[in-house]
Amino acid sequence: MEHDILIEARGLTRRYGPNVAVESIDLTLRRGEILGLLGPNGAGKSTTMKMLTGNLAPTGGTVKINGIDLAADPKGAKRSIGYLPEQPPVHPELTVDEYLGFAAALHGVAKKDRAAALQRAKQACGLTEVSRRLIGNLSKGYQQRVGLAQAIIHRPPVIILDEPTVGLDPIQIREIRSLIATLAKEHSVILSSHILPEIQAVCSRVLIVNRGRVVFHESLAKLASEAIPSYYVQFSRP
Ligand code: ATP
C-alpha cells in the first residue's frame, strides 16, 4: 500500500548509560520531500539515522516506515529504505558490479531482476563506465557514488544519507550534491550535514538538532529568515 507519510518517528530516544545521545525526537518524512538533519558534531544526527534505518535499537520511541512498525516487522519496514552511513564499509577488493550484486542480494532483489537493478542503479549514479573497476582504485567521489547506488539498488521510496559529502573535494561535493538532487526526483530523502549551505542547496525542510534534541523544525524559507546561532551549524566549509 502507498503511504503519503513515509517515515514517522515519535519520541525517538537513545541513551548510553546515563548519557543521552538522542532525546525524544519527533520526525516526519512525506513523499517527495528532502528533509535536512542539521547540527554540529555530536548532535545526534548519526544516532537518529541509525535508529530510523533499523541499525540501532532505540531505548525509547517508535518508528513507522511506509506504514510498517520498524520494531514489529524490521524486515518489512527496511524494504522501503536505502541507507548510506557516514562511514560506509568500503570493499576495495571488489569491482563495482560485484559489490552492487552483493548489495542487491542483501536487499532481497530477486536473482532474475539483479542485472536490470544493477544497470539502473549504475546509470542513475554515473557508474556505468566503471562497472569492472576495483572500488579501491576509484576516487573518493566515485566511491560515494557506489554508496549511493547500493542505497537505491532495491528502489526504496526513501533514502537516508548521513553526511554524504564529508571528505570530498569541492568538485566532488558539487557532483554528489547534484546527484542527490537528481535521485530525489524518485526517492524521498533524509540528508544530514553540519554545514548550512549544504542543506540549503537541496532540502525543502530542515530539522536542527543539538545535544540530541530538536531545536528548530521548519521549512527552508523560514530557516533563511531566522537568526541561527552559529554554534548549531557551520555557515561554510572550513
Ligand atoms: P557527527 O557529525 O560527529 O557524526 P552526530 O550528530 O552524528 O555527530 P552522533 O554520532 O549521533 O552525533 O552522537 C551523538 C552523541 O552520542 C555524542 O555525544 C556521542 O558521543 C554519543 N554516542 C554515539 N554513539 C555512542 C556509543 N556507542 N556509546 C556512547 N556514546 C555514544
Side-chain angles (χ1 to χ4, degrees):
M1 192 179 150
E2 297 274 295
H3 287 260
D4 183 48
I5 293 181
L6 290 174
I7 295 194
E8 190 169 27
R10 290 287 162 258
L12 207 53
T13 299
R14 176 72 206 197
R15 291 169 195 273
Y16 291 100
N19 301 323
V20 180
V22 169
E23 174 86 66
S24 210
I25 284 191
D26 292 337
L27 177 155
T28 304
L29 179 74
R30 292 191 180 78
R31 199 172 287 276
E33 272 191 321
I34 312 182
L35 174 67
L37 202 55
L38 193 62
N41 290 337
K45 304 181 298 296
S46 296
T47 304
T48 302
M49 289 180 143
K50 284 179 199 163
M51 291 194 283
L52 294 177
T53 52
N55 286 285
L56 178 71
T59 48
T62 57
V63 179
K64 258 192 186 177
I65 300 168
N66 215 356
I68 301 176
D69 186 285
L70 180 60
D73 180 6
K75 208 171 158 204
K78 283 188 199 180
R79 239 177 255 136
S80 294
I81 288 211
Y83 175 43
L84 178 59
E86 188 176 11
Q87 275 146 359
V90 180
H91 295 280
E93 74 292 357
L94 296 183
T95 66
V96 170
D97 270 350
E98 285 167 345
Y99 175 64
L100 292 179
F102 178 60
L106 267 182
H107 280 110
V109 178
K111 220 170 183 174
K112 65 174 177 41
D113 299 327
R114 280 186 208 155
L118 257 67
Q119 202 59 35
R120 191 187 43 77
K122 283 187 295 181
Q123 197 151 14
C125 296
L127 290 167
T128 310
E129 306 285 299
V130 297
S131 300
R132 291 178 189 185
R133 295 265 300 274
L134 291 178
I135 292 174
N137 291 341
L138 298 177
S139 67
K140 184 92 195 334
Y142 267 82
Q143 288 181 355
Q144 249 347 30
R145 286 171 187 259
V146 175
L148 288 166
Q150 66 74 33
I152 62 164
I153 197 85
H154 53 306
R155 298 191 102 159
V158 179
I159 49 175
I160 296 191
L161 312 175
D162 195 353
E163 305 233 21
T165 60
V166 161
L168 303 184
D169 69 31
I171 294 173
Q172 293 168 339
I173 290 171
R174 230 175 299 137
E175 287 174 356
I176 292 296
R177 216 185 256 168
S178 131
L179 178 51
I180 292 169
T182 306
L183 295 179
K185 291 179 185 152
E186 272 202 46
H187 307 265
S188 305
V189 182
I190 300 182
L191 171 71
S192 76
S193 179
H194 56 280
I195 301 164
L196 180 62
E198 185 111 343
I199 294 294
Q200 285 173 317
V202 287
C203 295
S204 44
R205 200 153 56 79
V206 63
L207 201 136
I208 300 181
V209 287
N210 190 46
R211 298 183 179 205
R213 290 168 191 271
V214 174
V215 292
F216 182 94
H217 184 181
E218 275 300 346
S219 68
L220 197 67
K222 189 89 186 290
L223 175 70
S225 63
E226 294 275 336
I228 305 163
S230 60
Y231 48 83
Y232 289 157
V233 296
Q234 239 170 270
F235 289 87
S236 62
R237 286 192 172 269

Short mmCIF file of all heavy atoms in Angstrom, two decimals, residues 137-177:
data_model
loop_
_atom_site.label_atom_id
_atom_site.label_comp_id
_atom_site.label_asym_id
_atom_site.label_seq_id
_atom_site.Cartn_x
_atom_site.Cartn_y
_atom_site.Cartn_z
N ASN A 137 40.32 1.30 -6.35
CA ASN A 137 41.04 2.15 -7.31
C ASN A 137 40.23 3.38 -7.73
O ASN A 137 40.69 4.17 -8.55
CB ASN A 137 41.39 1.35 -8.57
CG ASN A 137 42.45 0.31 -8.28
OD1 ASN A 137 43.16 0.42 -7.27
ND2 ASN A 137 42.56 -0.70 -9.13
N LEU A 138 39.04 3.53 -7.17
CA LEU A 138 38.20 4.69 -7.54
C LEU A 138 38.49 5.87 -6.62
O LEU A 138 38.92 5.68 -5.47
CB LEU A 138 36.72 4.32 -7.42
CG LEU A 138 36.19 3.21 -8.32
CD1 LEU A 138 34.71 2.95 -8.00
CD2 LEU A 138 36.35 3.58 -9.79
N SER A 139 38.21 7.08 -7.10
CA SER A 139 38.35 8.27 -6.25
C SER A 139 37.29 8.22 -5.15
O SER A 139 36.31 7.48 -5.25
CB SER A 139 38.14 9.54 -7.09
OG SER A 139 36.79 9.59 -7.52
N LYS A 140 37.48 9.05 -4.13
CA LYS A 140 36.51 9.10 -3.02
C LYS A 140 35.11 9.49 -3.55
O LYS A 140 34.10 8.98 -3.08
CB LYS A 140 37.02 10.12 -1.98
CG LYS A 140 36.18 10.22 -0.75
CD LYS A 140 36.68 9.31 0.34
CE LYS A 140 35.76 9.04 1.50
NZ LYS A 140 34.75 9.90 1.94
N GLY A 141 35.10 10.40 -4.54
CA GLY A 141 33.82 10.83 -5.12
C GLY A 141 33.09 9.67 -5.78
O GLY A 141 31.88 9.49 -5.61
N TYR A 142 33.84 8.85 -6.52
CA TYR A 142 33.22 7.70 -7.17
C TYR A 142 32.82 6.63 -6.15
O TYR A 142 31.81 5.95 -6.31
CB TYR A 142 34.13 7.14 -8.27
CG TYR A 142 33.80 7.75 -9.61
CD1 TYR A 142 34.31 8.99 -9.96
CD2 TYR A 142 32.93 7.11 -10.47
CE1 TYR A 142 33.97 9.58 -11.16
CE2 TYR A 142 32.57 7.69 -11.68
CZ TYR A 142 33.10 8.93 -12.02
OH TYR A 142 32.73 9.51 -13.21
N GLN A 143 33.63 6.51 -5.09
CA GLN A 143 33.25 5.54 -4.05
C GLN A 143 31.92 5.96 -3.41
O GLN A 143 31.09 5.13 -3.06
CB GLN A 143 34.36 5.45 -2.99
CG GLN A 143 35.59 4.73 -3.53
CD GLN A 143 36.71 4.61 -2.51
OE1 GLN A 143 36.63 5.13 -1.40
NE2 GLN A 143 37.76 3.91 -2.90
N GLN A 144 31.72 7.28 -3.27
CA GLN A 144 30.44 7.75 -2.72
C GLN A 144 29.29 7.47 -3.69
O GLN A 144 28.18 7.17 -3.28
CB GLN A 144 30.51 9.25 -2.45
CG GLN A 144 30.51 9.78 -1.08
CD GLN A 144 30.16 8.92 0.11
OE1 GLN A 144 30.35 7.71 0.17
NE2 GLN A 144 29.64 9.57 1.11
N ARG A 145 29.57 7.56 -4.98
CA ARG A 145 28.53 7.20 -5.97
C ARG A 145 28.13 5.73 -5.81
O ARG A 145 26.97 5.37 -5.94
CB ARG A 145 29.05 7.40 -7.40
CG ARG A 145 29.15 8.84 -7.82
CD ARG A 145 29.89 8.90 -9.14
NE ARG A 145 30.15 10.28 -9.48
CZ ARG A 145 29.43 10.97 -10.37
NH1 ARG A 145 28.45 10.39 -11.01
NH2 ARG A 145 29.71 12.22 -10.60
N VAL A 146 29.15 4.89 -5.55
CA VAL A 146 28.87 3.47 -5.34
C VAL A 146 27.98 3.31 -4.10
O VAL A 146 27.02 2.54 -4.09
CB VAL A 146 30.18 2.65 -5.19
CG1 VAL A 146 29.88 1.19 -4.85
CG2 VAL A 146 31.03 2.74 -6.46
N GLY A 147 28.29 4.11 -3.05
CA GLY A 147 27.48 4.08 -1.83
C GLY A 147 26.03 4.49 -2.13
O GLY A 147 25.08 3.90 -1.60
N LEU A 148 25.86 5.49 -2.98
CA LEU A 148 24.51 5.92 -3.34
C LEU A 148 23.81 4.85 -4.19
O LEU A 148 22.61 4.58 -4.02
CB LEU A 148 24.55 7.24 -4.10
CG LEU A 148 24.92 8.47 -3.24
CD1 LEU A 148 25.27 9.67 -4.12
CD2 LEU A 148 23.77 8.82 -2.31
N ALA A 149 24.57 4.21 -5.07
CA ALA A 149 23.99 3.17 -5.94
C ALA A 149 23.49 2.00 -5.10
O ALA A 149 22.41 1.45 -5.37
CB ALA A 149 25.01 2.70 -6.97
N GLN A 150 24.26 1.59 -4.08
CA GLN A 150 23.78 0.48 -3.24
C GLN A 150 22.53 0.89 -2.46
O GLN A 150 21.67 0.06 -2.17
CB GLN A 150 24.87 -0.11 -2.33
CG GLN A 150 25.43 0.77 -1.22
CD GLN A 150 24.50 0.96 -0.02
OE1 GLN A 150 23.74 0.06 0.33
NE2 GLN A 150 24.56 2.13 0.60
N ALA A 151 22.43 2.19 -2.14
CA ALA A 151 21.25 2.65 -1.38
C ALA A 151 19.97 2.60 -2.22
O ALA A 151 18.89 2.44 -1.67
CB ALA A 151 21.48 4.06 -0.84
N ILE A 152 20.11 2.72 -3.54
CA ILE A 152 18.89 2.74 -4.38
C ILE A 152 18.66 1.42 -5.13
O ILE A 152 17.73 1.31 -5.92
CB ILE A 152 18.92 3.90 -5.41
CG1 ILE A 152 20.10 3.76 -6.37
CG2 ILE A 152 18.93 5.26 -4.71
CD1 ILE A 152 19.96 4.63 -7.62
N ILE A 153 19.53 0.43 -4.88
CA ILE A 153 19.53 -0.78 -5.71
C ILE A 153 18.18 -1.50 -5.69
O ILE A 153 17.77 -2.11 -6.67
CB ILE A 153 20.68 -1.73 -5.28
CG1 ILE A 153 20.97 -2.77 -6.36
CG2 ILE A 153 20.41 -2.44 -3.96
CD1 ILE A 153 21.90 -2.32 -7.41
N HIS A 154 17.45 -1.41 -4.56
CA HIS A 154 16.15 -2.10 -4.46
C HIS A 154 14.98 -1.14 -4.64
O HIS A 154 13.86 -1.45 -4.28
CB HIS A 154 16.05 -2.83 -3.12
CG HIS A 154 16.31 -1.95 -1.92
ND1 HIS A 154 17.45 -1.20 -1.78
CD2 HIS A 154 15.58 -1.69 -0.81
CE1 HIS A 154 17.40 -0.53 -0.64
NE2 HIS A 154 16.27 -0.80 -0.05
N ARG A 155 15.27 0.04 -5.20
CA ARG A 155 14.26 1.07 -5.48
C ARG A 155 13.42 1.42 -4.26
O ARG A 155 12.17 1.39 -4.32
CB ARG A 155 13.32 0.63 -6.60
CG ARG A 155 14.03 0.41 -7.90
CD ARG A 155 13.05 0.23 -9.00
NE ARG A 155 12.95 1.46 -9.79
CZ ARG A 155 12.51 1.50 -11.01
NH1 ARG A 155 12.07 0.42 -11.61
NH2 ARG A 155 12.46 2.64 -11.66
N PRO A 156 14.07 1.75 -3.15
CA PRO A 156 13.29 2.09 -1.96
C PRO A 156 12.64 3.47 -2.13
O PRO A 156 13.24 4.34 -2.78
CB PRO A 156 14.35 2.14 -0.85
CG PRO A 156 15.60 2.55 -1.57
CD PRO A 156 15.51 1.94 -2.94
N PRO A 157 11.48 3.69 -1.56
CA PRO A 157 10.88 5.03 -1.64
C PRO A 157 11.68 6.08 -0.87
O PRO A 157 11.61 7.26 -1.19
CB PRO A 157 9.48 4.86 -1.06
CG PRO A 157 9.46 3.54 -0.38
CD PRO A 157 10.56 2.71 -0.97
N VAL A 158 12.46 5.63 0.13
CA VAL A 158 13.22 6.58 0.97
C VAL A 158 14.70 6.26 0.93
O VAL A 158 15.10 5.09 1.02
CB VAL A 158 12.78 6.46 2.46
CG1 VAL A 158 13.59 7.43 3.32
CG2 VAL A 158 11.31 6.71 2.62
N ILE A 159 15.54 7.31 0.82
CA ILE A 159 16.97 7.11 1.05
C ILE A 159 17.44 8.02 2.18
O ILE A 159 17.03 9.18 2.27
CB ILE A 159 17.84 7.28 -0.22
CG1 ILE A 159 17.52 8.57 -0.97
CG2 ILE A 159 17.70 6.09 -1.14
CD1 ILE A 159 18.45 8.83 -2.17
N ILE A 160 18.29 7.46 3.03
CA ILE A 160 18.78 8.18 4.21
C ILE A 160 20.29 8.29 4.07
O ILE A 160 21.00 7.27 4.00
CB ILE A 160 18.36 7.44 5.50
CG1 ILE A 160 16.83 7.45 5.59
CG2 ILE A 160 19.01 8.07 6.73
CD1 ILE A 160 16.24 7.00 6.89
N LEU A 161 20.77 9.54 3.97
CA LEU A 161 22.17 9.77 3.62
C LEU A 161 22.85 10.55 4.75
O LEU A 161 22.50 11.70 5.03
CB LEU A 161 22.24 10.57 2.31
CG LEU A 161 21.36 10.05 1.16
CD1 LEU A 161 21.44 11.00 -0.03
CD2 LEU A 161 21.77 8.65 0.75
N ASP A 162 23.84 9.90 5.37
CA ASP A 162 24.50 10.51 6.53
C ASP A 162 25.78 11.22 6.09
O ASP A 162 26.77 10.56 5.75
CB ASP A 162 24.80 9.42 7.57
CG ASP A 162 25.15 9.99 8.93
OD1 ASP A 162 25.29 11.22 9.06
OD2 ASP A 162 25.30 9.19 9.88
N GLU A 163 25.75 12.54 6.09
CA GLU A 163 26.90 13.38 5.72
C GLU A 163 27.63 12.86 4.47
O GLU A 163 28.83 12.58 4.51
CB GLU A 163 27.88 13.46 6.90
CG GLU A 163 27.20 13.94 8.18
CD GLU A 163 27.88 15.12 8.84
OE1 GLU A 163 28.63 15.85 8.16
OE2 GLU A 163 27.63 15.31 10.04
N PRO A 164 26.89 12.77 3.35
CA PRO A 164 27.47 12.11 2.18
C PRO A 164 28.61 12.86 1.50
O PRO A 164 29.28 12.29 0.65
CB PRO A 164 26.28 11.98 1.22
CG PRO A 164 25.34 13.04 1.65
CD PRO A 164 25.50 13.19 3.12
N THR A 165 28.84 14.12 1.86
CA THR A 165 29.92 14.85 1.17
C THR A 165 31.16 15.05 2.04
O THR A 165 32.12 15.70 1.60
CB THR A 165 29.42 16.24 0.67
OG1 THR A 165 29.00 16.99 1.79
CG2 THR A 165 28.30 16.11 -0.33
N VAL A 166 31.16 14.49 3.23
CA VAL A 166 32.33 14.66 4.10
C VAL A 166 33.56 14.00 3.47
O VAL A 166 33.49 12.89 2.96
CB VAL A 166 32.04 14.04 5.50
CG1 VAL A 166 33.32 13.77 6.26
CG2 VAL A 166 31.16 14.97 6.31
N GLY A 167 34.66 14.75 3.48
CA GLY A 167 35.93 14.20 2.98
C GLY A 167 36.10 14.31 1.47
O GLY A 167 37.09 13.84 0.93
N LEU A 168 35.12 14.95 0.80
CA LEU A 168 35.24 15.10 -0.66
C LEU A 168 35.83 16.46 -1.01
O LEU A 168 35.72 17.41 -0.22
CB LEU A 168 33.87 14.97 -1.32
CG LEU A 168 33.09 13.68 -1.06
CD1 LEU A 168 31.79 13.68 -1.87
CD2 LEU A 168 33.91 12.45 -1.41
N ASP A 169 36.43 16.57 -2.20
CA ASP A 169 36.94 17.88 -2.62
C ASP A 169 35.78 18.69 -3.23
O ASP A 169 34.70 18.14 -3.48
CB ASP A 169 38.14 17.72 -3.55
CG ASP A 169 37.78 17.14 -4.91
OD1 ASP A 169 36.65 17.37 -5.39
OD2 ASP A 169 38.61 16.42 -5.49
N PRO A 170 35.98 20.00 -3.47
CA PRO A 170 34.85 20.85 -3.90
C PRO A 170 34.15 20.38 -5.18
O PRO A 170 32.93 20.47 -5.28
CB PRO A 170 35.50 22.22 -4.11
CG PRO A 170 36.69 22.21 -3.22
CD PRO A 170 37.19 20.79 -3.19
N ILE A 171 34.91 19.84 -6.12
CA ILE A 171 34.27 19.37 -7.36
C ILE A 171 33.42 18.13 -7.07
O ILE A 171 32.27 18.03 -7.51
CB ILE A 171 35.33 19.06 -8.45
CG1 ILE A 171 36.01 20.37 -8.85
CG2 ILE A 171 34.70 18.39 -9.66
CD1 ILE A 171 37.18 20.20 -9.77
N GLN A 172 33.98 17.23 -6.29
CA GLN A 172 33.23 16.02 -5.93
C GLN A 172 31.97 16.38 -5.14
O GLN A 172 30.90 15.79 -5.34
CB GLN A 172 34.11 15.08 -5.10
CG GLN A 172 35.28 14.50 -5.87
CD GLN A 172 36.31 13.82 -4.97
OE1 GLN A 172 36.37 14.10 -3.77
NE2 GLN A 172 37.11 12.94 -5.53
N ILE A 173 32.10 17.38 -4.26
CA ILE A 173 30.93 17.82 -3.46
C ILE A 173 29.82 18.28 -4.39
O ILE A 173 28.66 17.90 -4.24
CB ILE A 173 31.32 18.94 -2.48
CG1 ILE A 173 32.20 18.39 -1.38
CG2 ILE A 173 30.07 19.62 -1.89
CD1 ILE A 173 32.82 19.43 -0.48
N ARG A 174 30.19 19.11 -5.38
CA ARG A 174 29.18 19.62 -6.31
C ARG A 174 28.51 18.46 -7.07
O ARG A 174 27.30 18.43 -7.25
CB ARG A 174 29.84 20.60 -7.30
CG ARG A 174 29.05 21.90 -7.38
CD ARG A 174 29.74 22.91 -8.25
NE ARG A 174 31.05 23.28 -7.75
CZ ARG A 174 32.14 23.43 -8.52
NH1 ARG A 174 32.09 23.24 -9.82
NH2 ARG A 174 33.28 23.79 -7.99
N GLU A 175 29.34 17.51 -7.48
CA GLU A 175 28.79 16.37 -8.25
C GLU A 175 27.84 15.52 -7.40
O GLU A 175 26.76 15.14 -7.85
CB GLU A 175 29.94 15.50 -8.77
CG GLU A 175 30.68 16.17 -9.91
CD GLU A 175 31.91 15.38 -10.35
OE1 GLU A 175 32.23 14.34 -9.72
OE2 GLU A 175 32.55 15.81 -11.31
N ILE A 176 28.25 15.25 -6.17
CA ILE A 176 27.42 14.40 -5.30
C ILE A 176 26.12 15.14 -4.93
O ILE A 176 25.04 14.56 -4.93
CB ILE A 176 28.19 13.95 -4.04
CG1 ILE A 176 29.33 12.99 -4.41
CG2 ILE A 176 27.26 13.31 -3.00
CD1 ILE A 176 28.90 11.67 -5.03
N ARG A 177 26.25 16.43 -4.68
CA ARG A 177 25.06 17.23 -4.37
C ARG A 177 24.07 17.19 -5.53
O ARG A 177 22.87 17.02 -5.34
CB ARG A 177 25.52 18.66 -4.13
CG ARG A 177 24.75 19.36 -3.07
CD ARG A 177 25.19 20.77 -3.00
NE ARG A 177 26.05 21.04 -1.88
CZ ARG A 177 26.74 22.17 -1.74
NH1 ARG A 177 26.71 23.09 -2.68
NH2 ARG A 177 27.46 22.37 -0.68
#
